[in-house]
Structures are given as C-alpha cells and as structure tokens.
Amino acid sequence: MKNKLRGKLPFTVCAVLVLVAATVFVARLTDWQLIHGAEYKRMANRSTGYNVETPATRGEILDRNGVGLVTNNTHYKIVIDKVYADDSTLDSFLLSLMELLKTTGDKWDDTLPVLLQDGVFVYQEKKDEEIQTLLETIEATGEVTAQRCIDLMCRRYHIDGGLSDKEKRALCSVRYNMEISGYSNAVPYTFASDVSRSGVSAVSENTQGVSGVDVQTYLVRAAKNPTLAPHVLGALGAVTEEEFKELSHSPKHYTINDTVGKSGVEAAMEEELKGEGGSKIIQRNSDGTIVETVETKESKPGNTVYLTLDEKVQQATAESLERNIKAAQEAGRQAARSSGKALQGEDCQAGAAVMLDVSSFAVLAAASYPTYDLNRYSSDDAYYAKLANDKTSPMYNRALSGTFAWGSVFKPVVALAALEEKIIKPTDTVNCTQKYDYYPSNVVQCMHRHDTVDLRNAITQSCNYYFAETGRKLGIDTMYLYAERFGLGEYTGIEIEESRGTLAGRDSQGWMPGNTVQAAIGQADNAFTPLQLATYVATIANNGVRLKTHIISKITDYERKNVLASYDEPVKTEESGVSAANLKTVQEDMLGVTQDAVGTANYMFGDYKIKVAAKTGTAENPGSDNTAFICYAPYDKPKVAVAVMVEHGVRNNYSLQIAKDMLDSYFFR
C-alpha cells in the first residue's frame, strides 16, 4: 500500500504545480484584459516607437599641416516632424513660417515646376521631366494646364480655396514635396535646407511652444578652396549599380542611395573616408513627448586623411600657373600680330606643375590649369555641362595624367646613360655645326651653332647636335632602359589616377635607327607627365635612388587624435645603376644651367638666393612649341624637385618664372 502511494506522489506533485501555474496565468490574463484592459490600451495608444536612421559622416581631407582641404561644415535646416505637428493648423503655420524667413533673407525649399507669372500659373521652362513626374504623382490625366494642375493639387492636399493664388502655390509646393519625400511619422520633412544664423534665431524665437517644428544642424561636405586642387581631391557621385555590387564585399555598409568617391583622393581613400550611419528607436507618447530613446546602432564617422600637399605651396603654384599662362598667351598674340605669323604662343591656354620632397618623394604641390570649381561641379548640372564642352578641358588632370613632349629636359638621362655605358667622357667634344644630318631623313636642328662643345657646354647651352650624336652611339634600347630607371614612362606609385606615359623605342611601332637621334633630344614618341618629370629630377637629386611617389601622408580617426596609418616613410623602388661619379658630373652640369653665364636659365636663377640645378626644354608638337623646366634645390642639400610644363608657351621665361614662384613659396614664405 505504501509503495502504491509512493508511486503516485510525483504525478500528484506535477499536477498540483500545473494547476497552480494555470491559475496564476488565468488570473493575470483576467487582470490584463478584464480589470485593467482599458487602461493598458490607453497606455499603448499613448506610446509609439519610431526607428530613426542617423546619417553617416564622411571623413575630412587635410593638407600636411592640418589645413582643411575638404571639410564638413555645420549648416542649419528647419524640419517639420509629423509626430508633433498639428495637421489642422499646419497650412497657416507654414505660411507664417515662409513670411518669417522672408524677413531674414532665407528661402524655403521650393522646387515646384509651376510658377505664378503676372497672375497666371505657367509651367517652368526646361522642366519637362519634373512636370511629368508631378502630373503622374497627382494622378492627372489628359492635357493638364498649369492652372488645372494647381486646382488638382489644392483638392488633393485639402488646401483652402479662399487663399490667394500665391499662397495656394506655396502650399502646393510644400505639400507636394512632403508627399514625394515620404513625409511620415518616421520621416520628418525638411522645409528649409540652408538657413542663416539670423534665420535660425528668428525661427527659434517665434516658434517657442509650437510643436512640430525643429531647427537642426547638419554637415555639408565642401572644398574650402574649391578651385585649388580639384583634380587631386576628386569628386563624389551617386553609387552606380556596378559599383554597388563591388562594394557589397566591403566591410563598410553601403546602400544604393549612397554617394562614393569617383576620382582623386575621394575615390582612392573611399574605404577610409566612408562613415557608418547609426540608428535609434524613439519612443513618444501621444502628445509628442519623448519617453525613451534606445540607440540600436552607434554611428561612426569616417577617418581623416592627411595629404602630403602643402596648401600654401599649392596655392602659389596654381596662381603662378594661371598668371604666366595668360601672360604667355598675350605675348604670343602680340608676336603673331607684329610678325604676321601664327603659332607664336597665341594658343597657350594650359599647363601643369609639380613639386616633390626629395627626401621622401612626397607631393608638395600638383596643380593643373585651367582648373574648375569642385563644389559647383558636384551640385550644378549646368556648370558640369559647361565644363564638359570646354575645349581647354579644365577637368583634365594635366599634372598626373597629361602626357607631353618635353624636349631637352630629357638630355640629362641621356648623358647619365652614355657616361655609365662609357659611350662618352665628360671631356669628349663634338663640333656643332647647327645641323646634324647623320640620318638625312631625321635631320636635327640646333638653336645655335655652338662649334666645339663638351658635355658641360652641351647641357648648359642645350646643344641638340651633341645629344643627337651621343644618342646615336648609345642606341635606343639602352637609352630607354636608363630612362625607365629614373621614372620616365613608368608609374610613379602615387595613390590616385596617373598615366604611364610613352617612352620612345619601348612603346613605339616601326622604329627606325634615325628616330633615335630625335628621341635623344626629347622628341620622337617621348611623352611624359609632369609628375614623372618631377620624379625623374628628384631621382637625380637623390643620387640615383628612385622612391615611391606618394600623396597620402597619414590616416587618423575623425577627431584627429589617433594615427591609424602613416605613409611618410620613404619606400625605395629603383636603383638607377649610375655611379656616384657620373651622377656628380651631370648634377654639376645642371647647376651650370643656372650658374654659368651661357646657361639657358642663368638670367632667372643666376643670382637666386639658393643655388638651383636645372634643365630647360622646348618641344615641337602640333601648335606652338611647348616649354618645360625641371630643377631641384638647394643644389648642395636638395630638398625639393620641380617640373613645369606650359603647353604652347614658346618662351622659356614663363615656365622658369612658375618654378621660381614655387621655390619662393617653399623657401621664403
């Protein structure tokens, strides 16, 4: 008997526990639904949660000294929040808000393609696409006049028919924009997107106690000086479907509505600059009071990118380029008028200049002219169309992507190759008769008859005859192999877009022996970028060691407190294979270009405060001749290397003056 009772005990205990639990549950349900059901329902109705996305903040771009180049600037906007707003009085409130902004000179966001002109509603010209979208949105069919369109909108948005036409149109504009922007409890509406401080003060003072209107801050990304370095900084644009697929593998989260870097630093540093948006749930009760805010994802701004550019040197370079190119063009026009001959420099409209730090090959300046306004490029479609149709190609980055015939600035590498290969000795002489005709089909003309010249005279006076003969003996294969080592016709390693250029012989088709003498004086197929020429002369200054050219200095967090990565340490990419003795010979000869009385740059740098090693160049090409100049300074302890190209400049003094202005900005600011 006792065993039977003992066997039933566990079952009895479980049954009792289940019964107790069921009793508690039923009692709780009774309390929730019958006793306090109405109260809990009222509480639920009074509290609503909304998921709010916080925008991503893109990282900033600074120069080497922390000067802002592309920064996020604080702006103000007026926002209407549907949760707070009283819809029954919203129209009258909007009209009063419009009048208030008018007193401070601010404008509300008005994009309706219907205008009121002389008391008549008309469609705005050149807005066919916007008008079609409007008519589809308000479900208008058939032929719809502008007046009919406004009438349909007033009916759709329940706008008071007793208002003036001006007031009707204004309210139609706001209500329509609210509709197409998705205005809802979860999506506030931006009534005015860029309000002045006086407008902010006026709105704040006059809307106290009014629910539904809020003045908010937001960040606008813009170039501080939009024409200074747009080719380097690059632009942003809407992500394409193809880009979106590629970015789906990125650790950063992208949406189809994101903007991404399209060129320059913005594109190259996309992963670093991209910020991550956040999200939060806002719990509000029925009168709009925030009961609770829960952050579900913390926003994270993008990192800050420091460039190697020096803003002051960049500014001086850009200004000098513009000034001297315009002066060269005017001089060409005067020469053409007085001589009656064309191609005197009147077609000079463009150029570029680059300065490198010799110790690291960091880009201190890279300017291209003509330039353009980076801010307008990104926001003004008409301006972009104008740029695209401009024959001077202002959007073309001549400093990094432009390839040009440089002429005699190529001669130092020919000299270095010939010395190292023992084709010549510094004391060897050639008799320059002005006309080198070893190959009758490739006659080389010298600017002057130099008579007996050695290497020093050939470089300082830029004797074509001497280098044509030297190049013939050297041969094109050896010539271009040494040119490659010094960075000509080679990618420099810079982080943003660049051209490889064209190296005569290596990149030529149907090469003939006679072409070699043209290549030796910087002609034939030789075409290099200003960046490559700056790298080339920096390699000469750095005793034949070529470093990786770079424009990114370091990456920090957004607040600029912690360095996440640094790129300032020099990276060796090539040894030229030229002996110290031969390098010294050519370096001294380049110093002679500025210091010898017969040197082609003596008139500009003969009495300069710092000794400069250099080489001038003039190159034939379609149109007037290009003029070029390369140099490094100081000669004894090189710090910077410079390359300048003036397209169709004809006269060397303009390219030399640009280089002088650049050196002044670095050494004597």
Side-chain angles (χ1 to χ4, degrees), residues 295-316:
E295 189 170 39
T296 57
K297 180 183 177 183
E298 184 180 1
S299 63
K300 183 182 178 182
N303 294 325
T304 296
V305 176
Y306 282 75
L307 304 186
T308 60
L309 289 181
D310 185 311
E311 188 263 351
K312 290 184 178 178
V313 178
Q314 178 75 17
Q315 183 74 48

Side-chain angles (χ1 to χ4, degrees), residues 218-236:
Y218 66 103
L219 298 176
V220 173
R221 187 175 182 79
K224 182 181 177 182
N225 184 342
T227 62
L228 182 58
H231 308 88
V232 169
L233 298 174
L236 295 173

